[in-house]
Amino acid sequence: MLRTALRNVLAHKARLLMTMLAVLLGVAFVSGTLVFTSTISEAFHKSSEKGYSDVDVSIRQDSGDAPEGRDTVSPLSQRTLDGAARLPGTESATGVVSGFAALSDKDGKLVGEGFSSQGANYYAGGNGKGTDARYPMKEGVAPRERGEIALDAKTAERTGYKVGDTARMSVNGPVREEKITGIFRTDDGNVAAGGTLVLFDNATAQRLFAKPGEYTEIQLKAEPGVSQAALKERAEKILPEGAEAVTGKQLADDESRMIEDSMSGMKTSLLAFAGIALFVGIFIIANTFTMLVAQRTKELALLRAVGAGRRQVTRSVLIEALVVGAVAGLAGMAAGVGIAAGLRTLVGSMGSMPDGPLVIEPSSVVISLLVGVVITVLAAWLPARRAAKIPPVAAMGALHAPASTRSLVVRNTIGALLSAAGVVLVLMGTKMDGDSGKAPMGLGAALLLVGVFVLTPLLSRPLIAAAAPVLRLFNVSGKLARQNAVRNPRRTAATASALMVGLTLITGLTVIASGVQKGIDKMASASIKADYTISMANYTPLSPAVEKKLAQSDQVTATSPLRNAAAEVDGDTEYLTGVNGASIGKLTALEFTAGGWQGLDDGKRIVVDDTTAKAKGWKLGSSVQVAYDDGAKERLTVGGLYKGNEMIKGILVDNKAVTPHMDKVADMQVLAKTKDGAGAEAKDALTKQLGDNPAILVQDKKDISEGVSQMISILLNMLYGLLAMAVIVAVLGVINTLAMSVFERGQEIGMLRAIGLDRRGVKRMVRLESLVISLFGGVLGIGLGIFFGWAAGELIAGSGLDTYTLVLPWGRLGVFLALAALVGVLAALWPARRAARLNMLAAIKTE
């Protein structure tokens, strides 16, 4: 039986090629993901180790000392630095100050991504005349005074800046023009990943990112023979309150762990899409082995008749699947390594990852091979079992063993129950809160998808019959195509389901994205009357000087900075949003359920969103106890209740109430209304008023909407690209099914040719059959996708985006249906040509 199985694999090489391709693509996706993420993780890990190679102990602010997000004052002063430098076993001590610093290129555009643009100090020792070992100069000299900076070599190469050039930049809003005095080398992981690093002299960096005489970190290097643990123990004796000592090894390990955590999300997403491609491949593998078994029914019956048992027959088919899975798995692993190498080169050319070798872990090889083998064997198990159950006498008498009525009834009953349970769970999920509704909705979606797949043979007849009026236009070819499509419902169902899965996901994602975009548009127009919002490019705090600069413009009629401050409100930590009480009513369009903006500018009132008020038990006129970070306390009165949304919510108070209690005054954004409304001229005027600053975003409502739309489009295009793998696998499935169907119906096609159907008619018959099956899968996929998109939208609306609106993008849905039709047309090219070229006399004599 083993020799028989191996001979069957070699005898059916062409038939199994498409199955191998389907498995190969899925395995390549899995192995490529594993190798690529391992390569990135290892590259960043090595970069982290290199970056901390000269740091044995770091003294920094205790991460658990203050509530997350609250402004804190660094406890690390020059006195702490001097004390650390005198510790026994300390070779050197370096004070570190860092923060956001946006650099513009020679064309005035922001260099790199906002979140990876960093600034830091060049620490030249206590006397200011030494060198900073972290940043060896490649050209020029280090910055020594205000108005001077140094750039990392990679940024200088990208921008074309040289020593002596003047660069425009910004730290928290106002434009700064700095002279470049030096270009340095660095092992900083942020720079290696495509970020920028700008160095200031120590005093300037402290003034920009901390306070004069303060540091955000102190790095110690141990003398030879002194361990990191020993130096850490000594450093702990001089720690000021609110500080902690951490070894360099722990810093590198923590950063590596953070990188692995960030990589895990990407790895999970990519593996999910690989799983979808493999799930689609299961249909193809099962279909292929079902047809192979059907074509070899007499052969298997003869084996049974000469003594082979059921288990032996089943085992022979599974051995074939094992060989196919192993070969496809090996080829997929090799293809995956190639994909990972290509991705590494692509990402590396974009300057967003450190250099490093391709990492192929043994676990990646084992997992990829196991995936290929296990998926193939599992998909082939049911056809193998079905083959073994055919009685030898029945198999000898007929080529096909049609499914019994009882088996179809059982299948349809199971499918109906699964579908009903899935619909019920999805509907339950739409009525729950965001987090609690995710689990039942996810389970319901899975059950419904499986249930529809099980019911697909039942659904195929009425849906394909609906295409009969159109198929009649093609005369005999159209009629034969319809009959062929419904002749074997199981095969049609498996072929169409492969395409259905991909289109379900694509449609659902598109419907959700369209609804989110519409909801954000409605939210922006419903909550903001301001013509423009001004913020930093990376949404870090903005200098109050920006609002003052805007207020000086002749174009601006009203402004309000939005300023966040943490405080104890009735015993709970809350964030107050400071606004300009006199003008905020002209800049927002919030719907008040009680009270309003009146009296907010006296600094003694607050307005609160209805959700917060309900949770706190506040009403109009309620008195609220507020304790600020500086220890000051006062009582404020609730002067208005409004309906909050994701753009504006929480406790709003006049800035004159919160600003005196803030340690460092900064705005999150500024709202501005202009004399002539939003327009190109007004925007240009504001941009020029702010010094053509690349670090500042000046956006009207259309810009906000387009920004969100662009992000959604980028995300959708990425998802489309990943899901294209599933569609490609589905195309292979249609080609495979048609090719084997043509082989199976060779005698029938020969008879049709003999009684007058010409080659063109044969081609048209096969193409129309492919088109009908593909459109059947497309209609099912788009229908399910719309339902899932609606359900997910209801969940989103219940999670906070109240303005979410169901939008059916008919244009894109039409494109998806056309895509399904194109899949059918392309998939039929080779099988149709093969059918038309059959020799009619040879085909008629074929058994």
Side-chain angles (χ1 to χ4, degrees):
M1 294 302 294
L2 177 61
R3 287 196 299 271
T4 302
L6 295 176
R7 277 200 300 268
N8 279 325
V9 172
L10 296 174
H12 302 132
K13 294 187 290 290
R15 304 183 200 176
L16 293 171
L17 178 61
M18 295 299 175
T19 301
M20 285 187 176
L21 281 174
V23 178
L24 183 152
L25 285 172
V27 172
F29 211 151
V30 172
S31 64
T33 297
L34 294 174
V35 173
F36 179 58
T37 51
S38 296
T39 299
I40 291 180
S41 296
E42 184 68 15
F44 276 107
H45 180 71
K46 294 294 184 186
S47 177
S48 298
E49 288 183 343
K50 197 173 181 182
Y52 289 111
S53 59
D54 291 328
V55 180
D56 290 308
V57 173
S58 169
I59 299 176
R60 62 185 186 182
Q61 183 176 307
D62 190 345
S63 56
D65 188 54
E68 185 179 354
R70 182 177 295 189
D71 290 336
T72 54
V73 179
S74 174
L76 307 180
S77 62
Q78 187 65 42
R79 180 180 177 183
T80 309
L81 177 60
D82 293 339
R86 292 192 296 267
L87 283 174
T90 300
E91 181 178 301
S92 64
T94 303
V96 179
V97 191
S98 60
F100 169 72
L103 176 74
S104 66
D105 60 18
K106 291 185 175 182
D107 295 326
K109 296 180 180 178
L110 184 66
V111 180
E113 300 295 331
F115 291 97
S116 59
S117 302
Q118 296 293 312
N121 66 321
Y122 184 89
Y123 184 74
N127 58 8
K129 297 181 180 180
T131 58
D132 193 331
R134 300 172 299 166
Y135 309 117
M137 287 294 150
K138 179 182 178 183
E139 298 176 31
V141 296
R144 299 293 183 183
E145 58 185 26
R146 187 171 183 174
E148 296 181 346
I149 60 170
L151 295 183
D152 69 87
K154 285 193 174 183
T155 299
E157 183 180 348
R158 278 189 293 162
T159 58
Y161 280 129
K162 297 179 180 178
V163 173
D165 289 345
T166 298
R168 299 174 73 253
M169 60 175 303
S170 178
V171 172
N172 61 352
V175 176
R176 305 172 61 90
E177 293 193 351
E178 311 279 358
K179 181 181 178 181
I180 300 173
T181 62
I183 295 172
F184 61 92
R185 297 185 181 91
T186 178
D187 295 326
D188 188 287
N190 182 64
V191 173
T196 63
L197 181 60
V198 179
L199 296 183
F200 301 87
D201 66 280
N202 194 59
T204 301
Q206 287 179 328
R207 188 170 60 255
L208 292 174
F209 305 125
K211 282 185 174 182
E214 290 185 351
Y215 298 93
T216 54
E217 183 184 4
I218 295 173
Q219 296 177 350
L220 306 181
K221 183 173 179 58
E223 293 177 346
V226 179
S227 68
Q228 291 187 353
L231 187 58
K232 176 191 172 185
E233 186 177 346
R234 295 168 190 171
E236 286 175 341
K237 297 176 181 178
I238 64 163
L239 291 180
E241 186 179 353
E244 63 177 350
V246 183
T247 63
K249 182 179 183 304
Q250 185 179 335
L251 287 173
D253 291 344
D254 289 346
E255 189 164 310
S256 296
R257 197 176 302 112
M258 287 174 61
I259 292 167
E260 286 179 9
D261 290 342
S262 63
M263 288 293 104
S264 66
M266 181 176 69
K267 182 189 287 188
T268 301
S269 300
L270 290 174
L271 288 176
F273 286 101
I276 292 167
L278 287 168
F279 181 64
V280 172
I282 288 174
F283 298 131
I284 299 171
I285 299 165
N287 228 10
T288 302
F289 277 94
T290 298
M291 288 190 285
L292 284 174
V293 167
Q295 291 168 11
R296 287 163 38 208
T297 302
K298 287 188 176 181
E299 175 191 327
L300 295 174
L302 185 60
L303 289 172
R304 292 284 312 280
V306 297
R310 287 187 175 184
R311 289 185 179 178
Q312 288 179 301
V313 171
T314 301
R315 199 177 299 128
S316 70
V317 178
L318 292 180
I319 289 171
E320 288 183 53
L322 181 66
V323 173
V324 170
V327 174
L330 285 170
M333 178 66 212
V337 172
I339 290 172
L343 285 173
R344 185 193 63 173
T345 303
L346 176 65
V347 175
S349 66
M350 296 164 61
S352 52
M353 73 170 284
D355 296 328
L358 201 65
V359 179
I360 305 174
E361 296 180 351
S363 60
S364 300
V365 178
V366 172
I367 290 171
S368 300
L369 289 175
L370 281 177
V371 164
V373 171
V374 171
I375 289 293
T376 309
V377 171
L378 285 178
W381 176 76
L382 193 58
R385 186 169 174 270
R386 193 180 296 145
K389 292 176 68 175
I390 301 174
V393 175
M396 291 284 191
L399 179 62
H400 304 293
S404 65
T405 304
R406 179 176 177 275
S407 69
L408 290 174
V409 169
V410 171
R411 175 172 180 146
N412 293 338
T413 302
I414 293 173
L417 291 173
L418 289 173
S419 299
V423 170
V424 169
L425 285 171
V426 169
L427 293 177
M428 282 176 56
T430 62
K431 303 299 180 184
M432 297 180 179
D433 294 334
D435 292 333
S436 58
K438 289 179 183 177
M441 186 171 290
L443 178 60
L447 288 176
L448 180 55
L449 195 62
V450 174
V452 170
F453 165 67
V454 175
L455 283 175
T456 307
L458 178 66
L459 298 172
S460 64
R461 289 186 177 276
L463 288 178
I464 291 176
V470 177
L471 293 175
R472 287 196 194 100
L473 299 175
F474 298 93
N475 300 322
V476 175
S477 296
K479 183 177 180 181
L480 290 171
R482 183 181 65 82
Q483 291 175 347
N484 289 335
V486 297
R487 176 187 296 182
N488 191 329
R490 290 179 185 270
R491 183 189 304 166
T492 298
T495 306
S497 295
L499 189 58
M500 177 191 77
V501 172
L503 284 179
T504 295
L505 295 170
I506 289 172
T507 303
L509 291 170
T510 303
V511 171
I512 293 169
S514 300
V516 169
Q517 178 62 52
K518 185 70 174 178
I520 290 172
D521 288 345
K522 287 175 65 178
M523 182 187 295
S525 59
S527 59
I528 296 179
K529 287 196 290 189
D531 295 317
Y532 292 97
T533 64
I534 294 89
S535 60
M536 292 294 289
N538 69 335
Y539 301 101
T540 53
L542 192 68
S543 169
V546 171
E547 192 264 339
K548 294 177 181 177
K549 193 82 173 174
L550 287 171
Q552 295 170 4
S553 172
D554 296 335
Q555 273 285 336
V556 177
T557 59
T559 62
S560 176
L562 302 185
R563 205 167 280 171
N564 282 353
E568 294 285 335
V569 181
D570 278 359
D572 297 321
T573 300
E574 298 284 351
Y575 283 91
L576 306 178
T577 300
V579 299
N580 186 335
S583 61
I584 190 66
K586 302 174 186 176
L587 300 167
T588 58
L590 299 177
E591 181 182 347
F592 278 85
T593 56
W597 298 114
Q598 299 85 358
L600 187 67
D601 57 344
D602 66 5
K604 299 298 181 182
R605 294 175 182 267
I606 59 173
V607 295
V608 189
D609 69 280
D610 47 9
T611 303
T612 302
K614 185 177 180 181
K616 298 285 187 182
W618 295 340
K619 297 180 181 179
L620 189 66
S622 295
S623 180
V624 178
Q625 177 72 38
V626 178
Y628 298 102
D629 275 355
D630 62 356
K633 297 181 180 180
E634 65 176 323
R635 298 199 72 86
L636 302 177
T637 303
V638 177
L641 303 175
Y642 66 93
K643 290 185 177 180
N645 55 53
E646 290 302 307
M647 297 193 76
I648 300 179
K649 61 182 178 181
I651 305 171
L652 307 183
V653 62
D654 193 277
N655 276 320
K656 67 180 65 171
V658 297
T659 301
H661 309 291
M662 296 177 69
D663 178 65
K664 188 174 182 179
V665 180
D667 302 326
M668 295 310 298
Q669 64 176 337
V670 177
L671 304 179
K673 195 166 185 64
T674 54
K675 184 166 50 179
D676 300 323
E681 291 184 7
K683 186 174 183 179
D684 288 343
L686 294 185
T687 303
K688 289 179 181 177
Q689 183 73 15
L690 295 173
D692 291 320
N693 193 331
I696 294 181
L697 292 177
V698 179
Q699 297 178 300
D700 58 18
K701 283 184 275 192
K702 183 180 178 183
D703 293 329
I704 295 172
S705 178
E706 287 178 351
V708 174
S709 178
Q710 186 177 15
M711 287 191 295
I712 291 174
S713 296
I714 291 172
L715 181 61
L716 269 182
N717 290 335
M718 288 174 58
L719 295 175
Y720 288 162
L722 294 169
L723 286 171
M725 182 71 72
V727 176
I728 291 171
V729 174
V731 172
L732 292 175
V734 178
I735 295 173
N736 205 18
T737 300
L738 289 173
M740 299 188 75
S741 177
V742 166
F743 176 84
E744 184 181 279
R745 301 202 309 260
Q747 190 178 52
E748 176 187 317
I749 292 171
M751 290 293 294
L752 289 171
R753 290 288 315 283
I755 62 176
L757 189 64
D758 60 10
R759 289 187 174 183
R760 184 178 296 177
V762 172
K763 283 184 179 180
R764 189 182 300 122
M765 175 186 72
V766 176
R767 288 171 183 164
L768 288 174
E769 179 184 351
S770 174
L771 183 63
V772 167
I773 292 174
S774 297
L775 285 174
F776 169 52
V779 169
L780 281 182
I782 291 172
L784 280 174
I786 290 173
F787 176 69
F788 290 147
W790 165 80
E794 292 294 304
L795 199 63
I796 291 170
S799 301
L801 188 59
D802 298 334
T803 52
Y804 179 90
T805 305
L806 177 65
V807 176
L808 296 181
W810 295 110
R812 288 199 180 190
L813 296 182
V815 170
F816 297 156
L817 195 60
L819 175 65
L822 181 63
V823 165
V825 172
L826 294 177
L829 291 178
W830 178 62
R833 186 167 176 267
R834 181 183 177 189
R837 294 179 66 183
L838 283 176
N839 183 296
M840 68 178 76
L841 295 178
I844 291 171
K845 290 190 295 182
T846 303
E847 287 193 35

